[in-house]
Amino acid sequence: MNDERRDGSWIWQVLLLLGEAVFVVFSTLRDWTGPRRDPQRNRIPKWVRWSAGITAIVMIAIGMAVIARYFRPLPPAQPIPFSHQIHVQTKNLNCFFCHPSATYSSNAGMPSVEKCLLCHNVIASNFWPIKRISTYYRRGEPIPWKWVNRVPGFVRFQHQPHLARGIDCSQCHGNVAAMDRVKAVHPFDMNFCVTCHWRNNASASCFTCHY
Amino acid sequence: MPLTRREFLKGMGAAIGGVGLSAVGYDRLIPYLNQPEDIVPGVSTWYATSCRECPAGCAMVVRNRESHVVKCEGNPLQPISHGTLCARGQAALHGLYDPDRIKRPQRKVDGKFEDASWDDALDDISTALAGQRIALITDLQTGSLDTLMRAWMTAMGGGPVVVYEPINYEPVKAVNGGVVPSFNIADSDYLIAFGCDFLETWVSPVEFAGQFEVMRRVVGGKRGRFIYVGPRVSMTAANADVRIIVPPGAASEVASALLGRASVGGVARKYDLDPRVLSDAAQGLASARAPLALPGWDIDSAQAAAAVNAGRAAGLVNTGRPHAITGISSMADMTALISDMDGGRVDALIIQGANPVYGLPESARFVDALKRVGMVVSLSSFMDETSSRADWVLPSNTPLESWGDYRPYPDVANLMQPTMGLLWNTRHTGDILIELAQRSGANLGAANFLNYLKRQWGVPAGAGQASPEWDSLLRVGGRWPGSTSSGRDATPSTGYSSSVPGGTFPLTPLTPTAGAVTTSASPGTPMASATKPPTGGGKGIRLWAYPHIYFYDGRNANRRWLQEIPEPVTRAVWGSWVEMHPDTARRIGVGMDDVVELEHAGVKLQLPVFVWRGVARDTVAVPIGQGHTDYGRYASGRGVNILRVINAEDPRVTLNAVGDRQWVTRIKGANRQYDRDIARTVALESRFKREKPIRMPLPSGYNERDFYPGHKHAGHRWAMVVDMSKCIGCHACTVACYAENNLAVVGPEGIYRRREMAWLRIDQYVDWQQESAPILFQPMLCQHCDAAPCEPVCPVFAAAHSDEGINMQIYNRCVGTRYCSNNCPYKVRRFNWFDYDWPTPLDWQLNPDVTTRSRGVMEKCTFCIQRIREAEIVAKREGRPVRDGEITPACVQTCPTGVFTFGDLMKDDSRVSQLIRHDPRAYQVLDELNTKTAVIYLKRIVERT
């Protein structure tokens, strides 16, 4: 269950709290300075106020940059801590064993729950994540995998022509074989798609993807 | 503590942050639990089945994507549909996905329906049926379900089985020895239709449209001639060479005049006709090689047709090959059952699929009789007028979810299979009957309907028994002449079927049985057809109620595509209207859109007036099909049900102006050409000569007049040829486009504000001076101009030119300035004024290959780019170029007459290239604008211009 706690979304909550803290600090500072109408009371010199403020802003900016640099949110936690590394690298499974329709469909295909159990009825069937798969299957529920590598709804991406052209999975998906939890390596934006289309002399007409 | 402004803002900050974090949206990737064998996400699976939207019996293939069916197409192997489908067949999906379907069994308690379980329902009903006098009313079924229902009635003690359809073709049967024969239009050279809309609703419209196209091909400067005699210029009549518009009841007199048995002058005077037209038609009939007359909806026109056919059309009318419609019970049977019900001689009434409360006239007093029946059980998919009066409503599967079969002709048997899983807690009618019989201790010899069906088809029915024969039947879609020898299956090999438009349809030659035509029309036959025979020459206004092209007898009225698509000649949508001649309107003192009260036998109906010259004088025409009180949200409360008033002895009605006005909701826009030569015609006798060279949508089409240089095309330049001579105006293409491209339905308010979303519309031009073709139909879609006026005005390049020549509209770029639409001379661009809704489960029908557009986005025809892409990808996978005819946009695919030809203009041997280069009829709409359109029209061939 350690896995769940490493979920990246707490970062945003921390950032939000930080923002709130800045707000509170500034408003308190202003409370100390008192109402503007009474310039004589508890006057803190202007340069002190200014330098304190600027220092605070700089500190916060540095802090946020550090957080953004080193505390990258993790890819989404999956309902089952599935490791591609074990399946692909250690056990040497081919991508198409679980995602067979990539070569003949627009959709690479997610293995059915039944397919997981094809092996795991026998292999490691008492390991707790596997038990969870069996529970899903028994209850008749599909596993609600989180979607990691997504293209927007107005893009009609097709796996099949890319594979037919000999584009390796890793060119878009990164080295999934080395990943425990799958993360999006490339941003699937138009820059990424079109650059590659140009490089490979593929059509970059709008109607190739948008219709 | 009072809330200060500061605290409020602080709280707001936190709240907004929280909303931002929790907005996860749809981010799940849901796998199958057990993946079905024949379903691959992203790949279409096609299931062959039979269309059951009308009694015609077209075989179709249904496209399933990720376990939802999304599109219906004709089965190219079957001789009736020959790979095409009509508008109603396309809309079969809306029957399946109707949001107002009955979702679970309903029991009526104190006048209200309550949910019940199947066990309770079947227990209760089987107990109640024991030892009772049962009657069964069903809609038209043939084959296994018909056999099963009759066996069930026998097992349950025997009682009457009435096959009820509001339109029962009794007049046709009366003049053809009790059967509805098969007609061979294709081999006729002189066709007379007596009030018979065979291209719209009559018997088998898709089959007849295909045959009609064959008959009308010009061979050696000649083609089959078509005369229409009837009270209204229907869509069918608009396709005729000569229209003889006479009031209902005058067809026999016209027939006598045509046969030379009555004076042409006398008939012409009596009905205000041009005597030259009549004598010309009579001469043509006398000299015709193979004349054929089609009997219409009423006994008068049926007798007229019989008189013309007598002895001459023996090879074309085949009573030895009766249509399934023959099996509809006569009105006499229904009347007998009603009197039994009224007399308390029926304890339990099972109604399967039929809707007699809607279809029977008030004078039949069916509703009153229904109240005297002990228990009424309705087996229906919809809560219609009949179901809502039942004690038990057992929801049955729609045809697309059902096993079954349908035999339109004795030699053609379609097999039906479920095309997707069940949407709701419904059961197959056959399974319900078998279960009821089992609970009553009767044995019908099969555990479920599938086994029963297999036994009927002569294949092993045991569980787990593999049967290659059954598998091949399922793949082909049934048995008919040549179905086993073709060695193909109904699944289109490239993902999309490629019926060759304009090519040869596999028409079954009809084998004539010698002297099979009987013309002994018995005048005493009880008339139960939609329209009554007139009682002599009485004065007054006569009612001509005609089956609406999309609603037929009213059963399709809950399909909102069909409500939205304009009726071909009036272009009216979403309602009812009464059509009358300007002279008649003037006499009554009403004009367009005035409301009149139509009264007959004590029943009063109010409906708006549609004035046009297409109706005979002293006749009012009202479409059948609207005016439902219970039939789901799209049908209920729209228009009036004219079936309530017809079927009395007297067709005369009284009309009174009410003084109210109500707009007949119709597609706006001019139906005159204003000398712009948009829809052009060419006389059959003239030399077909090209007036102007085609401005090719290729670099070769550019010259010094052009400011911009031509586009370079990468390998393909897609283009289309539209043969207006073949277009009958049936709108099948429009509905196919709605289905394929996720077009929104805007409803009557939207239509009023000209916000309809049809990418492909059928423009209609009316000019009564043009006697041989007063109404011209012209399919109008994006012309995919090479020098497109829409492209340079788009500030964000959302309208742009693709490298394959298609004029693109990129939705995610569009900001909705609508400049493009403003600049489009063809007015084919459509704007999304709102986010239009698809109430669940209608959204299950959406094609996953096409983006569903949102508010503020312009959209238009894409030549079905998703189909082009799919064909290209398949071709690339197989390492070959795309074949000509392999790509069929939805409109091309479904057109029953093969109007459209689609292909690559950069290949010299493609059919579009050949037609554009060599067909002298080719022209471009508004070519003076130098838009270099890629949609090339072929002029309509008419008798005289």
Side-chain angles (χ1 to χ4, degrees):
Chain A
M1 296 303 269
N2 196 17
D3 213 55
E4 251 79 35
R5 239 174 291 138
R6 278 164 56 204
D7 190 307
S9 64
W10 63 272
I11 276 289
W12 300 106
Q13 289 169 16
V14 168
L15 283 179
L16 187 77
L17 281 177
L18 259 172
E20 290 257 4
V22 171
F23 190 75
V24 171
V25 164
F26 267 78
S27 39
T28 325
L29 258 175
R30 232 184 113 194
D31 278 352
W32 284 344
T33 61
R36 292 257 161 88
R37 266 175 265 111
D38 187 1
Q40 299 304 317
R41 198 162 67 89
N42 287 340
R43 178 150 185 115
I44 295 175
K46 199 175 187 175
W47 66 270
V48 174
R49 280 192 286 148
W50 274 96
S51 55
I54 288 167
T55 314
I57 288 168
V58 168
M59 292 294 287
I60 288 164
I62 291 171
M64 286 171 94
V66 166
I67 288 168
R69 173 69 185 79
Y70 292 103
F71 297 86
R72 276 279 170 79
L74 280 172
Q78 300 290 357
I80 311 267
F82 176 85
S83 167
H84 274 88
Q85 193 191 353
I86 292 171
H87 287 83
V88 184
Q89 222 163 45
T90 316
K91 299 294 176 192
N92 242 331
L93 287 185
N94 189 296
C95 303
F96 301 126
F97 184 77
C98 293
H99 308 288
S101 54
T103 49
Y104 55 86
S105 169
S106 59
N107 200 315
M110 287 294 283
S112 61
V113 185
E114 188 187 25
K115 196 167 200 171
C116 302
L117 293 176
L118 190 71
C119 303
H120 281 295
N121 258 334
V122 193
I123 302 167
S125 55
N126 279 326
F127 187 38
W128 67 265
I130 309 298
K131 276 187 179 162
R132 205 187 271 184
I133 301 179
S134 325
T135 314
Y136 273 119
Y137 189 73
R138 251 199 333 274
R139 284 202 305 236
E141 280 173 27
I143 306 171
W145 299 108
K146 285 253 178 76
W147 206 336
V148 181
N149 284 296
R150 298 184 64 183
V151 287
F154 49 81
V155 180
R156 310 244 79 84
F157 177 79
Q158 300 235 14
H159 274 94
Q160 179 206 327
H162 293 88
L163 285 150
R165 181 66 182 256
I167 310 281
D168 192 75
C169 307
S170 65
Q171 286 203 25
C172 303
H173 292 290
N175 190 8
V176 177
M179 296 179 198
D180 271 333
R181 194 191 274 184
V182 171
K183 67 178 176 207
V185 176
H186 298 289
F188 286 173
D189 51 18
M190 247 179 93
N191 180 29
F192 177 74
C193 296
V194 171
T195 316
C196 190
H197 270 233
W198 279 335
R199 208 182 307 131
N200 288 299
N201 267 332
S203 168
S205 164
C206 312
F207 253 13
T208 309
C209 307
H210 304 294
Y211 49 83
Chain B
M1 194 185 98
L3 191 70
T4 65
R5 176 173 162 272
R6 178 170 298 157
E7 275 157 352
F8 173 74
L9 285 176
K10 271 193 272 188
M12 281 300 285
I16 289 167
V19 168
L21 288 175
S22 63
V24 283
Y26 113 92
D27 65 339
R28 298 286 177 166
L29 207 49
I30 308 292
Y32 278 101
L33 200 63
N34 302 300
Q35 185 153 354
E37 245 174 81
D38 42 1
I39 302 269
V40 175
V43 176
S44 306
T45 314
W46 295 80
Y47 294 104
T49 185
S50 177
C51 180
R52 293 294 287 116
E53 297 298 295
C54 80
C58 302
M60 61 183 184
V61 287
V62 183
R63 178 179 174 224
N64 182 312
R65 268 293 295 272
E66 284 99 62
S67 311
H68 299 174
V69 295
V70 296
K71 183 80 170 47
C72 296
E73 292 185 358
N75 183 340
L77 303 181
Q78 198 228 24
I80 293 173
S81 73
H82 47 79
T84 66
L85 218 51
C86 70
R88 285 178 283 157
Q90 291 284 348
L93 297 167
H94 271 193
L96 167 70
Y97 288 131
D98 182 27
D100 297 317
R101 266 181 67 184
I102 310 167
K103 301 183 171 72
R104 52 196 72 82
Q106 305 280 312
R107 180 214 309 258
K108 193 175 257 171
V109 182
D110 300 332
K112 274 198 189 124
F113 281 113
E114 284 176 5
D115 289 353
S117 73
W118 275 105
D119 264 339
D120 288 351
L122 295 172
D123 274 342
D124 199 280
I125 295 167
S126 60
T127 321
L129 287 183
Q132 302 283 310
R133 288 163 296 179
I134 309 170
L136 175 73
I137 300 177
T138 171
D139 62 348
L140 179 61
Q141 300 288 345
T142 65
S144 306
L145 189 55
D146 181 55
T147 321
L148 177 76
M149 284 190 298
R150 287 172 200 280
W152 185 82
M153 281 304 280
T154 314
M156 302 298 282
V161 177
V162 175
V163 180
Y164 172 73
E165 296 261 332
I167 296 168
N168 64 9
Y169 296 87
E170 253 178 68
V172 183
K173 286 195 235 171
V175 298
N176 285 298
V179 299
V180 176
S182 51
F183 295 92
N184 184 352
I185 296 173
D187 289 342
S188 162
D189 69 337
Y190 202 86
L191 181 68
I192 309 182
F194 287 99
C196 159
D197 301 328
F198 66 95
L199 297 176
E200 293 157 75
T201 44
W202 190 79
V203 182
S204 190
V206 170
E207 180 189 11
F208 293 150
Q211 295 191 3
F212 180 69
E213 190 273 317
V214 174
M215 177 200 135
R216 299 283 272 177
R217 279 183 202 160
V218 180
V219 179
K222 284 208 165 65
R223 68 171 186 183
R225 197 156 185 238
F226 173 30
I227 317 286
Y228 187 91
V229 182
R232 171 181 182 258
V233 182
S234 61
M235 185 197 92
T236 307
N239 286 289
D241 294 314
V242 175
R243 277 147 297 277
I244 299 171
I245 301 305
V246 288
S252 294
E253 284 176 71
V254 174
S256 315
L258 292 179
L259 290 166
R261 292 175 196 156
S263 131
V264 165
V267 173
R269 249 192 322 280
K270 186 170 176 190
Y271 295 111
D272 192 20
L273 302 168
D274 187 347
R276 276 174 309 146
V277 169
L278 267 183
S279 56
D280 180 52
Q283 269 169 25
L285 178 61
S287 60
R289 177 182 51 80
L292 171 66
L294 300 177
W297 305 111
D298 59 352
I299 186 71
D300 162 60
S301 59
Q303 283 166 343
V308 173
N309 281 342
R312 293 197 68 190
L316 305 176
V317 183
N318 186 353
T319 47
R321 187 174 175 258
H323 195 275
I325 286 171
T326 305
I328 300 174
S329 301
S330 70
M331 189 60 195
D333 293 346
M334 192 71 199
T335 317
L337 177 63
I338 294 173
S339 75
D340 275 355
M341 287 158 61
D342 212 24
R345 293 186 290 277
V346 176
D347 301 320
L349 178 66
I350 317 277
I351 304 175
Q352 194 285 123
N355 189 359
V357 174
Y358 174 84
L360 284 168
E362 303 232 324
S363 55
R365 308 189 58 76
F366 181 78
V367 178
D368 297 336
L370 201 60
K371 287 176 189 151
R372 299 205 174 81
V373 176
M375 182 174 67
V376 180
V377 181
S378 169
L379 276 60
S380 171
S381 301
F382 307 102
M383 192 55 86
D384 54 22
E385 289 80 0
T386 306
S387 297
S388 61
R389 284 173 173 80
D391 301 305
W392 272 101
V393 180
L394 304 182
S396 54
N397 299 346
T398 56
L400 289 178
E401 301 165 305
S402 302
W403 288 103
D405 51 3
Y406 188 74
R407 288 160 202 255
Y409 293 107
D411 56 340
V412 178
N414 304 335
L415 191 57
M416 293 159 66
Q417 59 180 319
T419 55
M420 69 180 284
L422 292 181
L423 270 178
W424 310 109
N425 188 9
T426 59
R427 289 193 188 179
H428 191 283
T429 302
D431 285 335
I432 298 172
L433 294 180
I434 289 172
E435 180 88 34
L436 279 175
Q438 276 171 353
R439 287 180 195 231
S440 313
N443 184 13
L444 295 174
N448 57 38
F449 183 71
L450 176 56
N451 284 351
Y452 194 87
L453 178 74
K454 282 183 175 175
R455 231 184 39 207
Q456 293 283 320
W457 281 70
V459 294
Q465 264 183 288
S467 161
E469 195 198 346
W470 182 249
D471 291 347
S472 108
L473 279 172
L474 289 180
R475 276 202 306 277
V476 172
R479 269 193 207 123
W480 43 77
S483 65
T484 44
S485 58
S486 69
R488 294 193 292 154
D489 60 30
T491 305
S493 56
T494 59
Y496 289 107
S497 56
S498 48
S499 68
V500 182
T504 47
F505 294 129
L507 289 168
T508 356
L510 304 178
T511 41
T513 48
V517 185
T518 8
T519 49
S520 57
S522 50
T525 309
M527 291 312 313
S529 170
T531 43
K532 284 297 300 171
T535 48
K539 289 244 187 294
I541 294 172
R542 284 151 200 250
L543 172 67
W544 174 255
Y546 61 94
H548 189 291
I549 174 169
Y550 309 130
F551 308 142
Y552 187 46
D553 53 13
R555 69 179 71 176
N556 304 107
N558 63 346
R559 279 63 159 163
R560 63 176 191 166
W561 284 335
L562 299 182
Q563 290 274 5
E564 180 101 343
I565 306 297
E567 199 276 335
V569 290
T570 56
R571 302 208 286 178
V573 296
W574 288 102
S576 295
W577 60 92
V578 49
E579 293 165 40
M580 57 178 81
H581 194 276
D583 293 350
T584 317
R586 211 170 299 127
R587 229 184 50 224
I588 301 171
V590 291
M592 196 80 165
D593 301 327
D594 282 340
V595 176
V596 291
E597 192 174 68
L598 188 149
E599 188 184 345
H600 183 82
V603 184
K604 291 177 180 172
L605 302 169
Q606 288 198 352
L607 65 179
V609 174
F610 186 93
V611 181
W612 73 309
R613 285 185 50 186
V615 198
R617 286 188 184 82
D618 294 334
T619 302
V620 291
V622 181
I624 295 170
Q626 295 277 27
H628 283 274
T629 50
D630 300 275
Y631 200 30
R633 65 192 74 173
Y634 300 119
S636 300
R638 288 188 203 287
V640 300
N641 177 10
I642 197 68
L643 288 171
R644 284 173 65 201
V645 302
I646 50 183
N647 197 31
E649 291 303 314
D650 190 352
R652 282 172 296 182
V653 291
T654 41
L655 289 168
N656 294 305
V658 172
D660 217 1
R661 278 177 76 80
Q662 187 194 333
W663 196 63
V664 180
T665 315
R666 56 188 180 269
I667 303 288
K668 292 181 184 175
N671 62 358
R672 289 157 65 189
Q673 302 207 42
Y674 298 104
D675 294 330
R676 286 175 302 174
D677 262 358
I678 294 168
R680 298 184 198 173
T681 55
V682 60
L684 178 63
E685 304 290 322
S686 71
R687 276 185 63 230
F688 294 177
K689 213 172 107 232
R690 190 172 287 185
E691 291 156 12
K692 278 190 238 170
I694 296 286
R695 297 176 208 262
M696 292 297 268
L698 292 170
S700 63
Y702 287 76
N703 55 26
E704 70 287 345
R705 288 179 17 140
D706 291 284
F707 182 76
Y708 295 111
H711 298 277
K712 283 198 179 64
H713 300 299
H716 306 290
R717 204 301 172 207
W718 303 118
M720 184 183 269
V721 173
V722 180
D723 189 345
M724 298 220 309
S725 224
K726 290 180 180 175
C727 181
I728 56 173
C730 71
H731 283 77
C733 47
T734 309
V735 183
C737 184
Y738 268 73
E740 175 73 19
N741 291 306
N742 303 342
L743 299 197
V745 171
V746 299
E749 314 284 307
I751 299 279
Y752 178 78
R753 295 184 166 81
R754 306 186 184 203
R755 290 173 181 170
E756 70 267 20
M757 299 301 286
W759 288 0
L760 167 55
R761 63 175 193 264
I762 309 285
D763 277 342
Q764 174 221 48
Y765 296 104
V766 181
D767 182 0
W768 294 104
Q769 306 301 317
Q770 298 287 334
E771 278 189 357
S772 54
I775 299 179
L776 296 173
F777 297 113
Q778 182 175 43
M780 181 50 71
L781 65 163
C782 175
Q783 305 286 301
H784 295 281
C785 316
D786 213 56
C790 54
E791 285 169 16
V793 294
C794 182
V796 294
F797 297 101
H801 211 76
S802 100
D803 53 6
E804 294 181 348
I806 297 178
N807 177 263
M808 312 180 280
Q809 178 67 20
I810 308 304
Y811 310 127
N812 44 320
R813 248 187 204 172
C814 179
V815 294
T817 61
R818 293 181 281 129
Y819 295 164
C820 54
S821 176
N822 199 31
N823 221 30
C824 174
Y826 306 97
K827 292 287 165 267
V828 289
R829 291 178 157 264
R830 304 296 192 185
F831 187 66
N832 284 277
W833 289 91
F834 298 100
D835 276 331
Y836 294 102
D837 65 329
W838 280 265
T840 310
L842 275 178
D843 54 349
W844 289 26
Q845 184 275 326
L846 293 173
N847 185 355
D849 291 338
V850 177
T851 309
T852 307
R853 284 76 56 185
S854 52
R855 185 175 65 172
V857 170
M858 189 61 76
E859 62 182 64
K860 60 155 202 80
C861 164
T862 63
F863 269 167
C864 284
I865 180 69
Q866 66 280 8
R867 294 184 171 221
I868 297 177
R869 285 283 167 272
E870 180 158 347
E872 282 176 344
I873 288 169
V874 169
K876 199 171 257 180
R877 185 169 70 201
E878 293 171 5
R880 56 173 174 83
V882 179
R883 285 188 221 107
D884 189 33
E886 188 175 355
I887 301 172
T888 54
C891 51
V892 181
Q893 198 285 325
T894 204
C895 180
T897 54
V899 169
F900 306 97
T901 311
F902 182 82
D904 186 356
L905 207 51
M906 286 173 75
K907 302 248 183 333
D908 282 344
D909 54 350
S910 69
R911 285 171 304 139
V912 278
S913 288
Q914 293 297 315
L915 283 170
I916 291 171
R917 294 202 168 93
H918 302 303
D919 197 310
R921 292 186 289 140
Y923 75 98
Q924 287 163 307
V925 172
L926 301 179
D927 61 336
E928 65 274 19
L929 298 177
N930 196 21
T931 47
K932 305 188 215 321
T933 58
V935 176
I936 313 287
Y937 289 82
L938 304 183
K939 289 178 195 168
R940 186 184 182 95
I941 303 169
V942 297
E943 266 193 357
R944 272 180 300 277
T945 46

